Amino acid sequence: MLYRSVYDKAMGNKEEIINVATRLFASRGYDVVGIQEIVDQAGISKPTLYHYFGSKNGLLTAIMELNFRRLLLGLGPATVYSGDLPLSLTEIVRVYFKFARSFPEFYRLHLAFWFSPPASAGFLAAKEWWEKQQQLLEILFMLAANDHGNMKDRHRIYAATFLGTINTYIAIFLNGYADLNEEMVHSLVKQFSHGIYS
Amino acid sequence: MLYRSVYDKAMGNKEEIINVATRLFASRGYDVVGIQEIVDQAGISKPTLYHYFGSKNGLLTAIMELNFRRLLLGLGPATVYSGDLPLSLTEIVRVYFKFARSFPEFYRLHLAFWFSPPASAGFLAAKEWWEKQQQLLEILFMLAANDHGNMKDRHRIYAATFLGTINTYIAIFLNGYADLNEEMVHSLVKQFSHGIYS
DNA sequence: GACATGTTATACCGATCGGTATATGATAAG
DNA sequence: CTTATCATATACCGATCGGTATAACATGTC
Protein backbone atom coordinates (compact mmCIF):
# COMPACT_ATOMS: atom_id res chain seq x y z
CA MET A 1 0.00 0.00 0.00
CA LEU A 2 1.12 3.48 -0.79
CA TYR A 3 2.07 5.91 1.95
CA ARG A 4 1.45 3.16 4.49
CA SER A 5 4.10 4.07 7.01
CA VAL A 6 3.31 7.75 6.68
CA TYR A 7 -0.33 7.25 7.39
CA ASP A 8 0.41 4.92 10.25
CA LYS A 9 2.39 7.61 11.96
CA ALA A 10 -0.25 10.19 11.20
CA MET A 11 -3.12 8.08 12.45
CA GLY A 12 -1.20 7.35 15.61
CA ASN A 13 -0.89 11.02 16.36
CA LYS A 14 -4.45 11.75 15.31
CA GLU A 15 -5.89 9.11 17.59
CA GLU A 16 -3.64 10.15 20.43
CA ILE A 17 -4.85 13.73 20.13
CA ILE A 18 -8.48 12.57 20.15
CA ASN A 19 -7.93 10.37 23.17
CA VAL A 20 -6.14 13.03 25.17
CA ALA A 21 -8.67 15.71 24.22
CA THR A 22 -11.64 13.50 25.08
CA ARG A 23 -10.20 12.79 28.51
CA LEU A 24 -9.39 16.43 29.22
CA PHE A 25 -12.70 17.77 27.89
CA ALA A 26 -14.66 15.22 29.91
CA SER A 27 -12.82 15.86 33.14
CA ARG A 28 -12.56 19.65 33.13
CA GLY A 29 -14.71 21.02 30.28
CA TYR A 30 -14.32 21.90 26.63
CA ASP A 31 -14.08 25.65 27.12
CA VAL A 32 -11.48 25.72 29.86
CA VAL A 33 -9.07 23.19 28.36
CA GLY A 34 -6.61 25.00 26.12
CA ILE A 35 -5.04 23.68 22.94
CA GLN A 36 -1.62 23.98 24.55
CA GLU A 37 -2.48 21.52 27.29
CA ILE A 38 -3.76 18.99 24.78
CA VAL A 39 -0.67 19.10 22.57
CA ASP A 40 1.61 18.94 25.60
CA GLN A 41 -0.02 15.78 26.92
CA ALA A 42 -0.18 14.27 23.44
CA GLY A 43 3.53 14.90 22.98
CA ILE A 44 3.17 17.02 19.86
CA SER A 45 2.99 20.72 19.02
CA LYS A 46 0.19 23.04 18.05
CA PRO A 47 0.68 23.10 14.26
CA THR A 48 0.34 19.33 14.22
CA LEU A 49 -3.05 19.51 15.86
CA TYR A 50 -4.18 22.24 13.52
CA HIS A 51 -2.86 20.26 10.60
CA TYR A 52 -5.26 17.43 11.38
CA PHE A 53 -8.31 19.21 12.74
CA GLY A 54 -8.14 22.79 11.47
CA SER A 55 -9.52 24.30 14.65
CA LYS A 56 -10.48 23.52 18.22
CA ASN A 57 -14.05 23.10 17.07
CA GLY A 58 -12.88 20.77 14.30
CA LEU A 59 -11.28 18.59 16.94
CA LEU A 60 -14.54 18.50 18.87
CA THR A 61 -16.44 17.58 15.71
CA ALA A 62 -14.03 14.71 15.06
CA ILE A 63 -14.50 13.41 18.60
CA MET A 64 -18.28 13.49 18.22
CA GLU A 65 -18.24 11.80 14.84
CA LEU A 66 -15.91 9.00 15.87
CA ASN A 67 -17.87 8.04 18.95
CA PHE A 68 -21.41 8.55 17.69
CA ARG A 69 -20.62 6.41 14.68
CA ARG A 70 -19.76 3.64 17.10
CA LEU A 71 -23.04 4.12 18.94
CA LEU A 72 -25.24 4.33 15.86
CA LEU A 73 -23.58 1.23 14.44
CA GLY A 74 -25.17 -0.75 17.24
CA LEU A 75 -28.30 1.33 17.52
CA GLY A 76 -29.39 0.90 13.89
CA PRO A 77 -30.13 -2.83 14.06
CA ALA A 78 -31.62 -2.53 17.55
CA THR A 79 -34.26 -0.03 16.43
CA VAL A 80 -35.66 -2.26 13.68
CA TYR A 81 -39.29 -2.96 14.63
CA SER A 82 -40.11 -6.65 14.64
CA GLY A 83 -43.60 -6.46 16.11
CA ASP A 84 -42.37 -6.85 19.68
CA LEU A 85 -41.84 -3.38 21.12
CA PRO A 86 -40.60 -4.40 24.59
CA LEU A 87 -38.03 -6.62 22.90
CA SER A 88 -36.76 -3.73 20.78
CA LEU A 89 -36.64 -1.41 23.78
CA THR A 90 -34.71 -3.98 25.76
CA GLU A 91 -32.17 -4.37 23.00
CA ILE A 92 -31.80 -0.59 22.65
CA VAL A 93 -31.14 -0.17 26.36
CA ARG A 94 -28.52 -2.91 26.16
CA VAL A 95 -26.78 -1.07 23.33
CA TYR A 96 -26.69 2.19 25.28
CA PHE A 97 -25.53 0.58 28.49
CA LYS A 98 -22.77 -1.31 26.72
CA PHE A 99 -21.64 1.84 24.94
CA ALA A 100 -21.63 3.87 28.14
CA ARG A 101 -19.58 1.20 29.89
CA SER A 102 -17.12 1.01 27.01
CA PHE A 103 -16.59 4.75 26.64
CA PRO A 104 -17.52 6.33 29.97
CA GLU A 105 -15.41 9.44 29.38
CA PHE A 106 -17.06 10.20 26.09
CA TYR A 107 -20.47 9.48 27.51
CA ARG A 108 -19.90 11.95 30.31
CA LEU A 109 -18.77 14.53 27.79
CA HIS A 110 -21.79 14.06 25.58
CA LEU A 111 -24.17 14.12 28.55
CA ALA A 112 -22.69 17.46 29.54
CA PHE A 113 -23.36 18.75 26.03
CA TRP A 114 -26.92 17.41 26.16
CA PHE A 115 -27.87 20.05 28.72
CA SER A 116 -25.37 22.67 27.66
CA PRO A 117 -26.50 26.11 26.53
CA PRO A 118 -28.09 25.87 23.08
CA ALA A 119 -25.57 28.36 21.71
CA SER A 120 -22.50 26.62 23.11
CA ALA A 121 -19.95 24.86 20.95
CA GLY A 122 -20.58 21.52 22.64
CA PHE A 123 -24.33 21.59 22.16
CA LEU A 124 -23.99 22.48 18.50
CA ALA A 125 -21.36 19.82 17.86
CA ALA A 126 -23.56 17.08 19.32
CA LYS A 127 -26.95 18.30 18.13
CA GLU A 128 -27.06 16.53 14.77
CA TRP A 129 -26.15 13.22 16.38
CA TRP A 130 -28.94 13.41 18.95
CA GLU A 131 -31.35 14.15 16.17
CA LYS A 132 -30.26 10.95 14.45
CA GLN A 133 -30.87 8.95 17.61
CA GLN A 134 -34.20 10.69 18.15
CA GLN A 135 -35.17 9.91 14.56
CA LEU A 136 -34.37 6.23 14.88
CA LEU A 137 -36.47 5.99 18.03
CA GLU A 138 -39.34 8.00 16.57
CA ILE A 139 -39.60 5.62 13.62
CA LEU A 140 -39.72 2.68 15.99
CA PHE A 141 -42.50 4.20 18.09
CA MET A 142 -44.39 5.25 14.98
CA LEU A 143 -44.38 1.73 13.60
CA ALA A 144 -45.31 0.30 16.97
CA ALA A 145 -48.26 2.71 17.15
CA ASN A 146 -50.01 0.61 14.52
CA ASP A 147 -50.19 -2.19 17.06
CA HIS A 148 -50.93 -0.02 20.09
CA GLY A 149 -53.85 2.32 19.54
CA ASN A 150 -53.18 4.59 22.50
CA MET A 151 -49.72 5.56 21.24
CA LYS A 152 -50.72 7.51 18.17
CA ASP A 153 -49.12 10.90 17.59
CA ARG A 154 -47.01 10.56 20.68
CA HIS A 155 -43.91 9.10 19.07
CA ARG A 156 -41.87 12.28 19.52
CA ILE A 157 -42.40 12.59 23.24
CA TYR A 158 -41.97 8.84 23.73
CA ALA A 159 -38.63 8.93 21.96
CA ALA A 160 -37.51 11.92 24.01
CA THR A 161 -38.66 10.41 27.30
CA PHE A 162 -37.11 7.05 26.56
CA LEU A 163 -33.76 8.60 25.67
CA GLY A 164 -33.98 10.80 28.76
CA THR A 165 -34.68 7.85 30.99
CA ILE A 166 -31.76 5.91 29.56
CA ASN A 167 -29.46 8.87 30.12
CA THR A 168 -30.72 9.24 33.68
CA TYR A 169 -29.74 5.67 34.47
CA ILE A 170 -26.37 6.09 32.80
CA ALA A 171 -25.74 9.30 34.71
CA ILE A 172 -26.49 7.49 37.96
CA PHE A 173 -24.01 4.81 36.90
CA LEU A 174 -21.34 7.38 36.01
CA ASN A 175 -21.74 8.97 39.43
CA GLY A 176 -21.22 5.61 41.12
CA TYR A 177 -24.74 5.15 42.47
CA ALA A 178 -25.52 1.97 40.58
CA ASP A 179 -24.27 -0.60 38.10
CA LEU A 180 -25.59 -1.06 34.59
CA ASN A 181 -26.45 -4.74 34.74
CA GLU A 182 -29.16 -6.81 33.07
CA GLU A 183 -31.48 -6.24 36.01
CA MET A 184 -31.31 -2.50 35.40
CA VAL A 185 -32.08 -3.05 31.73
CA HIS A 186 -35.34 -4.81 32.51
CA SER A 187 -36.20 -2.43 35.32
CA LEU A 188 -35.84 0.51 32.96
CA VAL A 189 -37.86 -1.08 30.15
CA LYS A 190 -40.63 -2.21 32.49
CA GLN A 191 -40.87 1.18 34.12
CA PHE A 192 -40.93 3.03 30.82
CA SER A 193 -43.38 0.62 29.24
CA HIS A 194 -45.77 1.10 32.14
CA GLY A 195 -45.83 4.81 31.38
CA ILE A 196 -46.72 4.09 27.77
CA TYR A 197 -49.41 1.45 27.90
CA SER A 198 -51.49 2.81 30.72
CA MET B 1 -33.84 52.45 58.75
CA LEU B 2 -30.17 53.16 58.50
CA TYR B 3 -28.39 53.18 55.17
CA ARG B 4 -31.70 52.43 53.50
CA SER B 5 -31.24 54.39 50.31
CA VAL B 6 -27.66 53.25 49.94
CA TYR B 7 -28.59 49.63 50.20
CA ASP B 8 -31.50 50.07 47.85
CA LYS B 9 -29.19 51.26 45.15
CA ALA B 10 -26.71 48.55 45.96
CA MET B 11 -29.29 45.78 45.88
CA GLY B 12 -30.61 47.06 42.59
CA ASN B 13 -27.19 46.70 41.00
CA LYS B 14 -26.52 43.41 42.71
CA GLU B 15 -29.74 41.89 41.48
CA GLU B 16 -29.24 43.30 38.03
CA ILE B 17 -25.80 41.69 37.83
CA ILE B 18 -27.22 38.35 38.96
CA ASN B 19 -30.05 38.52 36.43
CA VAL B 20 -27.80 39.43 33.53
CA ALA B 21 -25.20 36.84 34.47
CA THR B 22 -27.78 34.08 34.87
CA ARG B 23 -29.19 34.79 31.44
CA LEU B 24 -25.78 34.93 29.77
CA PHE B 25 -24.43 31.85 31.55
CA ALA B 26 -27.55 29.88 30.68
CA SER B 27 -27.56 30.82 27.05
CA ARG B 28 -23.86 30.56 26.18
CA GLY B 29 -22.03 28.93 29.09
CA TYR B 30 -20.25 30.01 32.25
CA ASP B 31 -16.73 29.60 30.91
CA VAL B 32 -17.12 31.50 27.66
CA VAL B 33 -18.99 34.49 29.04
CA GLY B 34 -16.51 37.12 30.17
CA ILE B 35 -16.88 39.53 33.05
CA GLN B 36 -16.69 42.42 30.62
CA GLU B 37 -19.82 41.35 28.78
CA ILE B 38 -21.75 41.00 32.02
CA VAL B 39 -20.87 44.44 33.33
CA ASP B 40 -21.57 46.02 29.93
CA GLN B 41 -25.07 44.58 29.76
CA ALA B 42 -25.71 45.39 33.42
CA GLY B 43 -24.66 48.98 32.78
CA ILE B 44 -21.90 49.02 35.39
CA SER B 45 -18.15 48.55 35.41
CA LYS B 46 -15.88 45.74 36.54
CA PRO B 47 -14.87 47.05 39.97
CA THR B 48 -18.55 47.26 40.92
CA LEU B 49 -19.04 43.59 40.16
CA TYR B 50 -15.90 42.64 42.07
CA HIS B 51 -17.01 44.82 44.94
CA TYR B 52 -20.13 42.71 45.39
CA PHE B 53 -18.98 39.22 44.46
CA GLY B 54 -15.21 39.20 44.81
CA SER B 55 -14.63 36.95 41.85
CA LYS B 56 -16.34 35.34 38.90
CA ASN B 57 -16.74 32.21 40.96
CA GLY B 58 -18.23 34.27 43.78
CA LEU B 59 -20.85 35.55 41.37
CA LEU B 60 -21.67 31.99 40.39
CA THR B 61 -21.96 30.98 44.03
CA ALA B 62 -24.37 33.84 44.68
CA ILE B 63 -26.54 32.80 41.73
CA MET B 64 -26.68 29.22 43.01
CA GLU B 65 -27.49 30.25 46.55
CA LEU B 66 -30.26 32.67 45.62
CA ASN B 67 -32.10 30.22 43.38
CA PHE B 68 -31.58 27.02 45.34
CA ARG B 69 -32.87 28.74 48.46
CA ARG B 70 -36.07 29.44 46.56
CA LEU B 71 -36.32 25.82 45.52
CA LEU B 72 -35.57 24.34 48.92
CA LEU B 73 -38.08 26.68 50.52
CA GLY B 74 -40.82 24.82 48.69
CA LEU B 75 -39.13 21.43 48.76
CA GLY B 76 -38.77 21.24 52.53
CA PRO B 77 -42.48 21.02 53.38
CA ALA B 78 -43.15 18.78 50.38
CA THR B 79 -40.70 16.12 51.56
CA VAL B 80 -42.32 15.68 54.97
CA TYR B 81 -43.54 12.09 55.12
CA SER B 82 -47.17 11.83 56.11
CA GLY B 83 -47.66 8.13 55.54
CA ASP B 84 -48.79 8.56 51.95
CA LEU B 85 -45.73 8.26 49.71
CA PRO B 86 -47.46 8.83 46.35
CA LEU B 87 -48.96 12.00 47.77
CA SER B 88 -45.56 13.28 48.85
CA LEU B 89 -44.01 12.40 45.49
CA THR B 90 -46.81 14.21 43.68
CA GLU B 91 -46.30 17.31 45.75
CA ILE B 92 -42.55 17.20 45.17
CA VAL B 93 -42.97 16.98 41.43
CA ARG B 94 -45.35 19.93 41.55
CA VAL B 95 -42.73 21.96 43.41
CA TYR B 96 -40.04 21.16 40.84
CA PHE B 97 -42.29 21.82 37.86
CA LYS B 98 -43.44 25.13 39.25
CA PHE B 99 -39.88 26.16 40.00
CA ALA B 100 -38.69 25.18 36.53
CA ARG B 101 -41.51 27.15 34.93
CA SER B 102 -40.77 30.18 37.11
CA PHE B 103 -37.03 30.23 36.53
CA PRO B 104 -36.37 28.39 33.27
CA GLU B 105 -33.07 30.13 32.63
CA PHE B 106 -31.67 29.14 35.99
CA TYR B 107 -33.01 25.62 35.65
CA ARG B 108 -31.25 25.23 32.33
CA LEU B 109 -28.05 26.50 33.87
CA HIS B 110 -28.22 24.15 36.81
CA LEU B 111 -29.08 21.19 34.59
CA ALA B 112 -25.96 21.93 32.55
CA PHE B 113 -23.91 21.86 35.75
CA TRP B 114 -25.55 18.58 36.79
CA PHE B 115 -23.68 16.74 34.05
CA SER B 116 -20.68 19.01 33.87
CA PRO B 117 -17.18 17.67 34.47
CA PRO B 118 -16.72 16.97 38.20
CA ALA B 119 -13.76 19.33 38.31
CA SER B 120 -15.52 22.23 36.61
CA ALA B 121 -16.50 25.42 38.39
CA GLY B 122 -20.18 24.90 37.67
CA PHE B 123 -20.31 21.39 39.05
CA LEU B 124 -18.53 22.40 42.23
CA ALA B 125 -20.73 25.45 42.75
CA ALA B 126 -23.92 23.40 42.50
CA LYS B 127 -22.74 20.23 44.23
CA GLU B 128 -23.66 21.10 47.80
CA TRP B 129 -27.17 22.08 46.74
CA TRP B 130 -27.82 18.82 44.97
CA GLU B 131 -26.67 17.00 48.05
CA LYS B 132 -29.26 18.88 50.07
CA GLN B 133 -32.01 17.87 47.67
CA GLN B 134 -30.74 14.30 47.61
CA GLN B 135 -30.71 14.24 51.41
CA LEU B 136 -34.29 15.47 51.71
CA LEU B 137 -35.45 12.79 49.30
CA GLU B 138 -33.40 10.07 50.96
CA ILE B 139 -35.01 10.81 54.31
CA LEU B 140 -38.44 10.58 52.74
CA PHE B 141 -37.72 7.22 51.11
CA MET B 142 -36.11 5.94 54.28
CA LEU B 143 -39.19 6.75 56.36
CA ALA B 144 -41.46 5.31 53.69
CA ALA B 145 -39.43 2.09 53.73
CA ASN B 146 -40.98 1.26 57.10
CA ASP B 147 -44.33 0.93 55.36
CA HIS B 148 -43.04 -0.75 52.20
CA GLY B 149 -40.89 -3.77 52.91
CA ASN B 150 -39.33 -4.08 49.47
CA MET B 151 -37.82 -0.61 49.61
CA LYS B 152 -35.29 -1.20 52.34
CA ASP B 153 -31.73 0.00 51.77
CA ARG B 154 -32.59 1.40 48.40
CA HIS B 155 -33.33 4.95 49.49
CA ARG B 156 -30.21 6.36 47.86
CA ILE B 157 -30.85 5.00 44.41
CA TYR B 158 -34.54 5.83 44.66
CA ALA B 159 -33.75 9.42 45.48
CA ALA B 160 -31.26 9.63 42.62
CA THR B 161 -33.61 8.01 40.12
CA PHE B 162 -36.55 10.14 41.17
CA LEU B 163 -34.55 13.34 40.83
CA GLY B 164 -33.17 12.16 37.51
CA THR B 165 -36.65 11.40 36.20
CA ILE B 166 -37.92 14.81 37.24
CA ASN B 167 -35.00 16.47 35.51
CA THR B 168 -35.62 14.42 32.38
CA TYR B 169 -39.18 15.71 32.15
CA ILE B 170 -38.07 19.27 32.80
CA ALA B 171 -35.38 19.01 30.16
CA ILE B 172 -37.99 17.83 27.67
CA PHE B 173 -40.09 20.83 28.65
CA LEU B 174 -37.18 23.23 28.28
CA ASN B 175 -36.50 21.87 24.80
CA GLY B 176 -40.10 22.47 23.81
CA TYR B 177 -41.19 18.85 23.50
CA ALA B 178 -43.90 18.96 26.14
CA ASP B 179 -45.63 21.08 28.73
CA LEU B 180 -45.35 20.64 32.48
CA ASN B 181 -49.03 20.30 33.31
CA GLU B 182 -50.85 18.34 36.01
CA GLU B 183 -51.21 15.38 33.68
CA MET B 184 -47.43 15.15 33.41
CA VAL B 185 -47.14 15.29 37.19
CA HIS B 186 -49.31 12.22 37.64
CA SER B 187 -47.75 10.44 34.68
CA LEU B 188 -44.31 10.89 36.21
CA VAL B 189 -45.34 9.78 39.68
CA LYS B 190 -47.23 6.77 38.40
CA GLN B 191 -44.37 5.70 36.19
CA PHE B 192 -41.80 6.11 38.94
CA SER B 193 -43.97 4.43 41.55
CA HIS B 194 -44.40 1.41 39.31
CA GLY B 195 -40.62 1.01 39.23
CA ILE B 196 -40.53 1.04 43.02
CA TYR B 197 -43.31 -1.22 44.16
CA SER B 198 -42.83 -4.07 41.72
C1' DG C 1 19.35 13.14 -7.01
C1' DA C 2 15.47 16.31 -8.05
C1' DC C 3 10.98 16.91 -6.69
C1' DA C 4 6.36 16.69 -4.53
C1' DT C 5 3.74 15.72 -0.51
C1' DG C 6 2.74 15.39 3.98
C1' DT C 7 4.25 16.25 8.87
C1' DT C 8 6.32 18.74 12.46
C1' DA C 9 8.60 22.54 15.50
C1' DT C 10 9.97 27.41 16.75
C1' DA C 11 8.38 31.54 17.43
C1' DC C 12 5.07 34.68 17.06
C1' DC C 13 0.27 37.29 16.49
C1' DG C 14 -3.73 40.25 18.24
C1' DA C 15 -7.40 39.62 21.36
C1' DT C 16 -9.32 38.60 25.47
C1' DC C 17 -9.17 36.60 29.91
C1' DG C 18 -9.89 37.39 35.25
C1' DG C 19 -8.51 40.64 38.33
C1' DT C 20 -6.75 45.20 40.48
C1' DA C 21 -4.39 49.89 41.83
C1' DT C 22 -5.85 54.33 42.20
C1' DA C 23 -8.90 57.94 42.55
C1' DT C 24 -13.44 60.09 42.77
C1' DG C 25 -18.53 60.39 43.91
C1' DA C 26 -22.19 59.64 46.87
C1' DT C 27 -24.16 59.16 51.42
C1' DA C 28 -24.82 59.26 56.28
C1' DA C 29 -22.83 60.09 61.23
C1' DG C 30 -20.73 63.04 64.40
C1' DC D 1 -18.22 70.65 57.98
C1' DT D 2 -15.36 67.07 58.77
C1' DT D 3 -14.87 62.28 58.53
C1' DA D 4 -15.69 57.46 57.57
C1' DT D 5 -17.79 54.16 54.54
C1' DC D 6 -19.68 52.42 50.60
C1' DA D 7 -19.91 52.59 45.57
C1' DT D 8 -18.19 53.38 41.23
C1' DA D 9 -15.11 54.50 37.06
C1' DT D 10 -10.65 54.89 34.33
C1' DA D 11 -6.95 52.61 33.18
C1' DC D 12 -4.08 49.11 33.62
C1' DC D 13 -1.78 44.25 34.84
C1' DG D 14 0.36 39.61 33.48
C1' DA D 15 -1.27 35.45 31.59
C1' DT D 16 -3.42 32.81 28.42
C1' DC D 17 -6.46 32.24 24.66
C1' DG D 18 -7.10 30.26 19.61
C1' DG D 19 -4.61 30.46 15.64
C1' DT D 20 -0.60 31.07 12.16
C1' DA D 21 3.72 32.41 9.30
C1' DT D 22 7.85 30.36 8.32
C1' DA D 23 10.89 26.89 7.72
C1' DA D 24 12.77 22.42 8.30
C1' DC D 25 12.26 17.45 8.00
C1' DA D 26 10.64 12.98 6.58
C1' DT D 27 8.95 10.06 3.03
C1' DG D 28 7.84 8.16 -1.36
C1' DT D 29 7.91 9.13 -6.80
C1' DC D 30 10.21 9.70 -10.83
Side-chain angles (χ1 to χ4, degrees):
Chain A
M1 282 180 218
L2 302 178
Y3 297 96
R4 185 55 200 271
S5 64
V6 174
Y7 279 133
D8 273 4
K9 198 174 175 186
M11 284 304 152
N13 267 348
K14 203 170 175 181
E15 284 183 3
E16 178 67 10
I17 294 173
I18 286 183
N19 289 337
V20 168
T22 300
R23 175 164 40 83
L24 287 175
F25 289 161
S27 67
R28 305 221 321 281
Y30 171 76
D31 295 313
V32 294
V33 173
I35 296 289
Q36 194 61 55
E37 189 173 356
I38 298 172
V39 299
D40 284 348
Q41 291 202 19
I44 54 144
S45 64
K46 284 169 82 170
T48 302
L49 187 149
Y50 280 90
H51 172 72
Y52 288 120
F53 302 103
S55 67
K56 191 184 182 183
N57 196 66
L59 170 58
L60 183 59
T61 302
I63 292 176
M64 292 296 119
E65 179 157 352
L66 171 66
N67 288 282
F68 274 117
R69 274 195 195 286
R70 289 173 177 155
L71 173 62
L72 290 175
L73 215 64
L75 198 59
T79 52
V80 173
Y81 182 56
S82 61
D84 187 345
L85 184 59
L87 183 72
S88 291
L89 296 183
T90 303
E91 196 51 44
I92 290 168
V93 174
R94 284 204 192 100
V95 168
Y96 272 98
F97 280 13
K98 184 180 177 186
F99 182 75
R101 295 179 63 137
S102 301
F103 309 100
E105 281 174 346
F106 171 78
Y107 214 96
R108 186 173 268 285
L109 181 62
H110 119 267
L111 270 188
F113 290 161
W114 177 275
F115 291 109
S116 283
S120 68
F123 184 91
L124 295 173
K127 190 181 178 188
E128 56 171 313
W129 298 100
W130 295 324
E131 287 171 352
K132 278 184 181 142
Q133 299 173 58
Q134 172 86 15
Q135 213 170 5
L136 286 176
L137 292 177
E138 279 188 20
I139 293 174
L140 173 64
F141 283 114
M142 221 150 63
L143 292 176
N146 296 331
D147 304 339
H148 303 83
N150 56 347
M151 281 180 57
K152 286 205 190 307
D153 297 327
R154 310 201 61 179
H155 52 279
R156 287 189 76 214
I157 191 169
Y158 283 153
T161 311
F162 188 53
L163 242 178
T165 306
I166 291 173
N167 282 334
T168 296
Y169 275 73
I170 293 177
I172 290 171
F173 155 72
L174 289 174
N175 288 336
Y177 280 86
D179 193 19
L180 293 184
N181 50 36
E182 190 67 13
E183 183 197 342
M184 290 289 262
V185 173
H186 288 99
S187 168
L188 195 165
V189 171
K190 200 171 63 175
Q191 189 171 342
F192 177 77
S193 302
H194 183 266
I196 285 190
Y197 298 129
S198 61
Chain B
M1 282 178 217
L2 303 178
Y3 298 95
R4 184 55 200 271
S5 63
V6 174
Y7 278 134
D8 273 3
K9 197 175 174 186
M11 285 304 154
N13 269 345
K14 202 171 176 182
E15 283 183 3
E16 177 67 10
I17 294 172
I18 286 184
N19 289 338
V20 168
T22 301
R23 174 164 41 82
L24 288 175
F25 290 162
S27 67
R28 305 221 320 281
Y30 171 77
D31 295 312
V32 294
V33 173
I35 296 290
Q36 194 61 55
E37 190 174 357
I38 297 172
V39 299
D40 283 350
Q41 291 202 19
I44 53 143
S45 64
K46 285 170 79 170
T48 301
L49 188 148
Y50 280 90
H51 173 70
Y52 288 119
F53 303 103
S55 67
K56 190 184 183 184
N57 196 66
L59 170 56
L60 183 59
T61 302
I63 292 176
M64 292 296 119
E65 177 157 352
L66 171 66
N67 288 282
F68 274 118
R69 274 196 195 285
R70 289 173 177 157
L71 173 61
L72 290 175
L73 214 63
L75 198 58
T79 52
V80 173
Y81 183 55
S82 60
D84 187 344
L85 184 58
L87 183 72
S88 291
L89 297 183
T90 303
E91 197 51 43
I92 290 169
V93 174
R94 285 204 191 100
V95 169
Y96 273 99
F97 281 12
K98 183 180 177 185
F99 181 74
R101 296 180 62 139
S102 301
F103 310 100
E105 283 173 344
F106 171 77
Y107 213 96
R108 186 173 269 285
L109 180 63
H110 119 267
L111 271 187
F113 290 161
W114 177 276
F115 291 109
S116 284
S120 68
F123 184 91
L124 296 173
K127 189 180 179 190
E128 54 171 316
W129 298 100
W130 296 325
E131 286 169 354
K132 278 186 182 143
Q133 298 173 58
Q134 171 86 16
Q135 214 171 5
L136 286 176
L137 292 176
E138 280 188 20
I139 292 173
L140 173 64
F141 284 115
M142 221 151 64
L143 291 176
N146 295 331
D147 303 340
H148 303 82
N150 55 347
M151 282 181 55
K152 286 203 192 306
D153 297 327
R154 309 200 62 178
H155 52 279
R156 287 189 76 217
I157 191 169
Y158 284 152
T161 311
F162 189 53
L163 243 179
T165 306
I166 291 173
N167 282 333
T168 297
Y169 275 73
I170 293 178
I172 290 170
F173 155 72
L174 289 174
N175 288 336
Y177 280 86
D179 192 20
L180 293 184
N181 48 36
E182 191 65 15
E183 183 197 341
M184 290 290 263
V185 173
H186 288 98
S187 168
L188 194 164
V189 172
K190 200 171 62 176
Q191 189 171 343
F192 177 77
S193 300
H194 182 266
I196 285 188
Y197 298 130
S198 63

